[in-house]
Amino acid sequence: MKKIEHIGIAVRSLENANKLFASLFGVEHYKIENVESEHVATSFFKIGDDKIELLEATSPESAISKFIKKKGEGVHHIAFEVENIYAEIERLKNEGFQMIHDAPKKGADNKLICFLHPKLTNGVLIELCQEIK
Ligand code: ZN
């Protein structure tokens, strides 16, 4: 893994959270993107070199609405940038980790993404992401 790419925060209302985090960070979000495959609306903030992603569910089947029902709003995942997501999935599987979906999907921000099962990572949901070139 190369670095932390972003931290994802589950929110009930993207509109309210955008205002709150803009006043917290002192910068406005730089984009909003709907990710159909994940049933989420996202917004991104940049603080120095680091990114924060806010996620609101757009459907009850969304992992975000399930997360909020179970745990409430809050930190949802940590995303790590990888050079080659397919090679990294293979490496992690060989290490005994489990992916939630075997094949990467197109996520927000022009990335291929996939998630590791949190039951094998101390309850932390980890996202791998690779820039689509
Ligand atoms: Zn993410």
Side-chain angles (χ1 to χ4, degrees), residues 6 53 77 127:
H6 63 269
E53 174 186 34
H77 64 269
E127 174 184 346

Side-chain angles (χ1 to χ4, degrees), residues 47-130:
I47 303 109
D49 289 333
D50 299 311
K51 286 195 260 176
I52 301 288
E53 174 186 34
L54 305 181
L55 304 109
E56 180 199 81
T58 53
S59 127
E61 301 119 75
S62 162
I64 295 301
S65 61
K66 288 173 193 154
F67 177 88
I68 287 178
K69 219 175 262 169
K70 231 161 104 181
K71 300 189 177 172
E73 295 178 294
V75 173
H76 178 256
H77 64 269
I78 303 176
F80 292 88
E81 188 179 326
V82 299
E83 192 64 50
N84 178 333
I85 198 165
Y86 296 95
E88 198 61 17
I89 290 171
E90 270 319 296
R91 185 184 75 79
L92 291 169
K93 279 191 188 164
N94 287 333
E95 294 288 339
F97 293 100
Q98 199 180 314
M99 314 311 290
I100 292 181
H101 301 286
D102 274 323
K105 294 198 252 187
K106 188 162 183 321
D109 211 23
N110 194 41
K111 302 255 194 301
L112 281 175
I113 62 162
C114 67
F115 290 93
L116 274 79
H117 206 294
K119 74 180 177 192
L120 298 174
T121 51
N122 285 31
V124 180
L125 182 60
I126 291 174
E127 174 184 346
L128 304 178
C129 56
Q130 180 203 317

